[in-house]
Each structure stands twice: as structure tokens, then as C-alpha cells.
Amino acid sequence: MNTENQKSQMRKGMLEYCVLLLLRREPAYASDIIQQLQAADLIVVEGTLYPLLSRLKRDGLLSYQWQESTQGPPRKYYALSPEGQEALASLDEAWNALSKTVGFLRGNNDATINA
């Protein structure tokens, strides 16, 4: 069985959550987001990230602000909107529940479904 497609789908499903997690810390430029994701071993290219950022902005989860750059034109820095903070809190809950379920199914003795 080739699991590459399943792994790819899992990464795609987690990307939005991971981007929101990064932006919880501080506003970031798209290249900075890519670097931070790569540092966490989640390889993302601009062609994947920019449409996601645009969709999250359109959905009201992100805002952005132009900031002058010392190295070229102004840069667009993305930040969580109040709606984005609420969505992230909801995703945090979903992640915790899913993590407990997977831990339970994997036989992790510390994981309980009802906890």
C-alpha cells in the first residue's frame, strides 16, 4: 500500500490549523510563515500558502497590514482577526479530542476518550 496520498491529505488538513497557530504568536509575512512551517518539518510552498492565506482573509479569520521593508517593497503581514482567534480555539478543541481518540486507539495508556 502506498501511503503517500494519505500523508499528503493529512498535511493539507493540518495546514490551516498550523498557520493559525503560528499567527497566534505574532503577525507574520508569508515567507516567515513558510520558514516556520519548514522548521517544524511541514514543507509548504508559496503556491500552496498564498491561496490559503487569501481564503482565510476572505473568510474573516485573518487581517493584514502593509509594513515597509528594508529589503524592497512593503510587505503584507498577516494576523489573526477576532474571528480567527475564535476559530483557532474551536480547532484547538477538535485537535485535543482527535489526539485523545488516536492516542486511545494506538493503545496509549494515558489517553482516555472521556477525559
Side-chain angles (χ1 to χ4, degrees):
M1 173 182 195
N2 183 351
T3 60
E4 289 307 310
N5 185 48
Q6 288 87 352
K7 290 191 288 188
S8 176
Q9 291 301 316
M10 289 173 74
R11 283 191 298 272
K12 287 178 186 177
M14 292 301 303
L15 182 57
E16 180 176 328
Y17 181 47
C18 291
V19 167
L20 294 176
L21 284 170
L22 287 175
L23 294 175
R24 171 174 31 199
R25 298 180 196 159
E26 62 185 356
Y29 179 59
S31 293
D32 295 334
I33 295 170
I34 289 172
Q35 288 176 351
Q36 291 178 47
L37 291 170
Q38 288 175 344
D41 290 330
L42 183 58
I43 306 303
V44 177
V45 295
E46 289 179 1
T48 301
L49 183 63
Y50 280 109
L52 173 62
L53 292 172
S54 294
R55 182 177 57 77
L56 293 173
K57 168 70 170 90
R58 196 172 47 252
D59 291 347
L61 303 182
L62 298 182
S63 62
Y64 66 81
Q65 177 180 334
W66 289 100
Q67 293 185 11
E68 292 297 323
S69 171
T70 58
Q71 302 172 354
R75 294 179 174 182
K76 190 184 289 188
Y77 280 78
Y78 293 89
L80 283 182
S81 67
E83 294 85 1
Q85 292 172 356
E86 291 175 16
L88 180 56
S90 178
L91 289 173
D92 278 337
E93 290 175 11
W95 172 256
N96 289 335
L98 181 60
S99 179
K100 285 179 185 178
T101 299
V102 171
F104 177 81
L105 294 172
R106 291 182 75 194
N108 182 347
N109 294 333
D110 295 333
T112 58
I113 297 296
N114 297 322

